[in-house]
């Protein structure tokens, strides 16, 4: 799959071995063996202000293949082996690709 693909994958919780949930993700980067994913969420209002500052709102969520208004959680890149199951559902649209890149650049110091 290509970068900027929206997919569904089982993502394990970082604090619970073997537990996790199936969720939408964005393939952000990749190498020969791994995808680097951002998780996608519909939960925004219930999150703290600190957490929300890492959420990029997907403007063209329907065109991207998402079912509801969604945010890309840019706080952590998830390492995902390419041999694990992942199902493509859509693609981030050009305006959102540009918007996400600008969002990441403007928040770069917060990730350090």
């Amino acid at each position: 799959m290509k970068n900027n693909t929206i997919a569904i994958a089982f993502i394990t919780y970082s604090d619970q071995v073997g537990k996790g949930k199936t969720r939408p993700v964005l393939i952000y980067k990749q190498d020969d063996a791994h995808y680097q994913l951002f998780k996608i969420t519909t939960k925004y209002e219930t999150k703290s202000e600190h957490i929300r500052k890492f959420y990029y709102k997907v403007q063209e969520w329907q065109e991207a293949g998402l079912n509801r208004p969604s945010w890309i959680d840019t706080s952590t890149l998830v390492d995902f082996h390419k041999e694990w199951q992942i199902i493509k559902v859509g693609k981030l649209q050009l305006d959102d690709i540009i918007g996400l890149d600008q969002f990441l650049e403007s928040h770069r110091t917060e990730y350090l």
Side-chain angles (χ1 to χ4, degrees):
M1 284 192 221
K2 297 181 179 181
N3 293 352
N4 299 308
T5 296
I6 305 287
I8 302 294
F10 182 81
I11 304 298
T12 56
Y13 297 131
S14 60
D15 60 344
Q16 297 177 0
V17 177
K19 294 190 178 190
K21 80 182 222 182
T22 302
R23 63 176 316 124
V25 296
L26 172 69
I27 297 175
Y28 184 65
K29 295 180 181 180
Q30 58 185 298
D31 59 29
D32 291 339
H34 301 91
Y35 293 118
Q36 296 290 308
L37 309 175
F38 282 131
K39 296 180 279 187
I40 298 176
T41 185
T42 59
K43 309 281 192 262
Y44 179 80
E45 297 300 327
T46 61
K47 301 297 181 182
S48 71
E49 185 176 325
H50 173 74
I51 291 173
R52 286 190 290 197
K53 72 180 179 180
F54 295 102
Y55 282 16
Y56 171 78
K57 184 175 184 179
V58 179
Q59 302 300 314
E60 298 179 47
W61 56 271
Q62 290 173 309
E63 295 84 352
L66 298 164
N67 295 329
R68 297 189 288 175
S70 300
W71 288 260
I72 298 170
D73 178 355
T74 67
S75 64
T76 306
L77 271 172
V78 176
D79 192 43
F80 193 87
H81 294 278
K82 285 188 173 180
E83 69 226 22
W84 296 344
Q85 184 176 11
I86 191 166
I87 301 165
K88 180 180 177 177
V89 297
K91 183 174 181 354
L92 204 60
Q93 301 300 294
L94 183 58
D95 286 345
D96 280 314
I97 293 169
I98 293 167
L100 177 61
D101 285 344
Q102 290 172 344
F103 180 86
L104 291 170
E105 181 60 30
S106 69
H107 290 77
R108 186 169 45 92
T109 57
E110 296 174 19
Y111 296 105
L112 302 175

